[in-house]
């Protein structure tokens, strides 16, 4: 994307990735047929659909509706071959919990990036519940064979705030028809617990702890997937970079466990309005209007805010490159185990285009400037890096080339065409 003169317009971002995975999974575990509208059609969600299909779940697609024929709790079938999770950490972690409660062996595989990402953080609590695992390749990553069976309930104190770990445990307990509780240092995104509660499972939230009761079954449910706030963040940031210009994003999920980026960008000086709030099947949804500021200023973000904006930090770092002063991000060591090491990759790429940035063990510092930025971005196949630097590349005076721009297919296949439509 070359730089443009201005931005304006409306972007209807695709369905939320986290909610899309969970909508398919919970429909597959329900009794009966569920119709899902607004499902994200992207490579990651395709991975979940393909894994469920290989486990005997019938999934049909027609127009905007995806229909899932549920098999009920513990009703998945023995797969005939390894289950390929592609690039999707959510598929691998959530399915490891579900399969741990099924009385057969199954093997999860993934692409090179996913195979490097840690799985023991999910298998450790599942082992305590009674499951067994064999790591077939490295010591901590995929391929992973799950020897599932009968599981006991658990009270787990998680060292990291991770919705994937929490969900693996809750979905294992759900299928094992036992209760479970998970405590996190800070609350991670809460879509799993919201969706379980909507399906009649007893869910109790107490501070950073969440407990579910044993369920016998779950009814099928028709649901709608709201727009993805992590995808919307790229356009909120784009507007923020153009003084006085507004971009409107209707139908976006504004669940408070996901909106940290909106708070931070307002502290930097951008204007954000959230209107027309409704409830879409247990998830608050609204229209976001973001307006650019004459001058963005640097910001400090620490461990308390990071979980609510974990996927938006590459975008924040790129914005910080245009903000006055030094931005400091800490408490974000989880970024090292995302689709790429996002601390190292973001900092190196910022340096490559002329920004003063430094790595910290758990974050980074970025010194903003108005100088034109130019150079090549190495995405490491990481969709969020491609999109964050794509937005920075739209700023007048910048000239930024993105290697492998197609990796946006993981979460937002139409990103570049949506960007071209509002940036002109
Ligand atoms: C996700 C949780 C987060 C997030 C990821 C999606 C989910 O990962 O970064 O993009 O759907 O549960 P962690 O659970 O590893 O923090």
């Amino acid at each position: 994307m070359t730089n443009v003169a201005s931005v304006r317009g409306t972007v209807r971002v695709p369905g939320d990735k986290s909610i899309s995975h969970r909508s398919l999974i919970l429909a597959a575990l329900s009794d009966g047929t569920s119709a899902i509208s607004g499902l994200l059609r992207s490579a990651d969600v395709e991975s979940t659909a393909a894994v469920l299909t290989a486990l005997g779940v019938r999934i049909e697609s027609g127009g905007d509706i995806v229909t899932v024929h549920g098999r009920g709790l513990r009703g998945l079938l023995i797969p005939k071959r390894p289950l390929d999770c592609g690039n999707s950490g959510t598929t691998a972690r959530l399915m490891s919990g579900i399969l741990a409660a099924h009385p057969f062996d199954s093997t999860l595989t993934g692409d090179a990036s996913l195979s490097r990402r840690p799985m023991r953080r999910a298998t450790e609590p599942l082992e305590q519940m009674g499951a067994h695992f064999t790591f077939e390749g490295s010591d901590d990553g995929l391929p992973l064979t799950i020897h599932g069976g009968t599981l006991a309930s658990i009270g787990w104190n998680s060292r990291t705030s991770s919705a994937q770990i929490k969900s693996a445990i809750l979905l294992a307990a759900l299928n094992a028809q036992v209760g479970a509780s998970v405590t996190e240092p800070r609350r991670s995104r809460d879509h799993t617990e919201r969706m379980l509660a909507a399906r009649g499972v007893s869910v109790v939230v107490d501070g950073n702890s969440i407990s579910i009761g044993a369920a016998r079954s779950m009814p099928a449910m028709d649901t709608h997937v709201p727009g993805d706030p992590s995808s919307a963040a790229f356009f909120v940031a784009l507007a923020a970079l153009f003084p006085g210009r507004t971009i409107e994003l209707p139908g976006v999920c504004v669940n408070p466990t996901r909106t940290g980026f909106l708070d931070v960008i307002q502290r930097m000086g951008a204007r954000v309005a959230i209107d027309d709030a409704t409830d879409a099947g247990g998830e608050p949804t609204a229209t976001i209007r973001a307006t650019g500021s004459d001058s963005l200023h640097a910001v400090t973000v620490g461990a308390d805010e990071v979980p609510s904006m974990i996927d938006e930090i590459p975008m924040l770092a790129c914005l910080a490159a245009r903000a006055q002063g030094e931005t400091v991000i800490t408490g974000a060591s989880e970024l090292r185990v995302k689709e790429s090491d996002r601390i190292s990759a973001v900092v190196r790429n910022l340096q490559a285009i002329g920004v003063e940035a430094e790595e910290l063990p758990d974050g980074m510092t970025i010194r903003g400037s108005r100088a034109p930025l130019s150079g090549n971005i190495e995405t490491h196949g990481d969709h969020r890096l491609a999109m964050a630097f794509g937005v920075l590349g739209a700023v007048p005076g910048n000239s930024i080339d993105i290697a492998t721009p197609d990796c946006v297919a993981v979460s937002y296949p139409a990103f570049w065409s949506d960007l071209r439509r509002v940036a002109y």
Side-chain angles (χ1 to χ4, degrees):
M1 177 91 194
T2 49
N3 57 71
V4 296
S6 195
V7 301
R8 183 185 56 208
T10 299
V11 183
R12 199 165 274 282
V13 293
D16 184 73
K17 182 155 79 68
S18 294
I19 298 174
S20 292
H21 286 297
R22 288 160 173 79
S23 299
L24 288 174
I25 288 172
L26 291 185
L29 300 174
S30 298
D31 291 335
T33 299
S34 303
I36 306 167
S37 61
L39 191 84
L40 169 65
R41 310 297 178 98
S42 81
D44 261 20
V45 178
E46 283 304 324
S47 294
T48 288
V51 166
L52 291 172
T53 303
L55 291 161
V57 181
R58 192 148 62 86
I59 302 176
E60 292 158 343
S61 184
D64 182 44
I65 302 291
V66 172
T67 306
V68 181
H69 301 269
R71 299 202 58 90
L73 296 180
R74 234 173 170 231
L76 299 177
L77 303 181
I78 302 175
K80 294 197 173 64
R81 60 194 80 84
L83 302 164
D84 183 3
C85 302
N87 189 246
S88 174
T90 306
T91 310
R93 272 69 175 257
L94 271 55
M95 290 311 303
S96 70
I98 293 164
L99 291 166
H102 279 75
F104 52 73
D105 287 1
S106 52
T107 299
L108 299 178
T109 63
D111 70 7
S113 152
L114 181 58
S115 300
R116 282 192 296 270
R117 297 178 64 188
M119 285 299 293
R120 282 204 190 266
R121 46 179 48 205
T123 60
E124 205 185 326
L126 299 171
E127 274 171 347
Q128 191 172 306
M129 294 174 83
H132 299 281
F133 298 89
T134 306
F135 285 85
E136 308 285 358
S138 71
D139 174 50
D140 193 6
L142 300 184
L144 171 69
T145 297
I146 301 156
H147 312 285
T150 304
L151 303 183
S153 67
I154 187 174
W156 184 252
N157 229 319
S158 191
R159 286 182 297 277
T160 32
S161 297
S162 159
Q164 294 179 359
I165 303 175
K166 174 176 65 179
S167 302
I169 298 167
L170 297 181
L171 294 174
L174 176 75
N175 279 279
Q177 299 171 314
V178 298
S181 71
V182 181
T183 303
E184 307 180 277
R186 292 172 186 83
R187 260 198 109 186
S188 61
R189 63 191 66 189
D190 63 358
H191 307 301
T192 301
E193 43 270 48
R194 282 176 185 255
M195 292 171 87
L196 289 175
R199 286 160 179 77
V201 177
S202 143
V203 174
V204 177
V205 180
D206 179 11
N208 296 338
S209 296
I210 145 106
S211 307
I212 62 164
R216 299 183 73 82
S217 63
M218 270 190 323
M221 233 180 117
D222 294 347
T223 52
H224 176 72
V225 179
D228 194 324
S230 299
S231 298
F234 297 110
F235 291 98
V236 171
L238 181 70
L241 288 163
F242 286 82
R245 309 302 301 196
T246 298
I247 294 182
E248 181 179 88
L249 300 140
V252 180
C253 175
V254 287
N255 176 324
T257 61
R258 299 287 301 280
T259 50
F261 183 73
L262 299 180
D263 301 333
V264 169
I265 203 169
Q266 289 180 83
R267 291 213 296 279
M268 295 177 86
R271 285 209 314 276
V272 175
I274 297 178
D275 298 310
D276 314 325
T278 54
D279 190 286
E283 290 286 351
T285 300
T287 297
I288 299 173
R289 284 187 190 83
T291 304
S293 127
D294 286 342
S295 84
L296 287 174
H297 26 266
V299 75
T300 301
V301 172
D304 280 341
E305 274 183 314
V306 164
S308 65
M309 56 179 300
I310 185 72
D311 293 336
E312 286 71 82
I313 298 213
M315 188 65 258
L316 171 64
C318 287
L319 264 187
R322 302 301 292 181
Q324 240 172 45
E326 186 177 69
T327 290
V328 182
I329 301 167
T330 55
S333 52
E334 275 298 295
L335 291 179
R336 295 209 181 268
V337 290
K338 294 295 178 190
E339 287 84 330
S340 65
D341 174 344
R342 286 185 178 156
I343 294 181
S344 152
V346 165
V347 168
R348 278 163 197 256
N349 279 311
L350 285 173
Q351 290 168 342
I353 57 173
V355 180
E356 253 185 72
E358 296 297 333
E359 271 192 49
L360 302 173
D362 63 343
M364 61 190 88
T365 61
I366 306 116
R367 183 160 285 285
S369 93
R370 309 293 286 181
L373 303 172
S374 66
N376 298 320
I377 298 304
E378 179 50 68
T379 63
H380 306 278
D382 185 336
H383 54 135
R384 299 209 194 275
L385 290 194
M387 293 187 274
F389 282 92
V391 168
L392 194 53
V395 172
N398 290 354
S399 169
I400 296 177
D401 254 6
I402 314 255
T404 63
D406 293 349
C407 63
V408 300
V410 160
S411 65
Y412 194 164
F415 174 75
W416 298 112
S417 57
D418 281 355
L419 182 60
R420 273 193 294 275
R421 213 164 35 71
V422 290
Y424 53 91

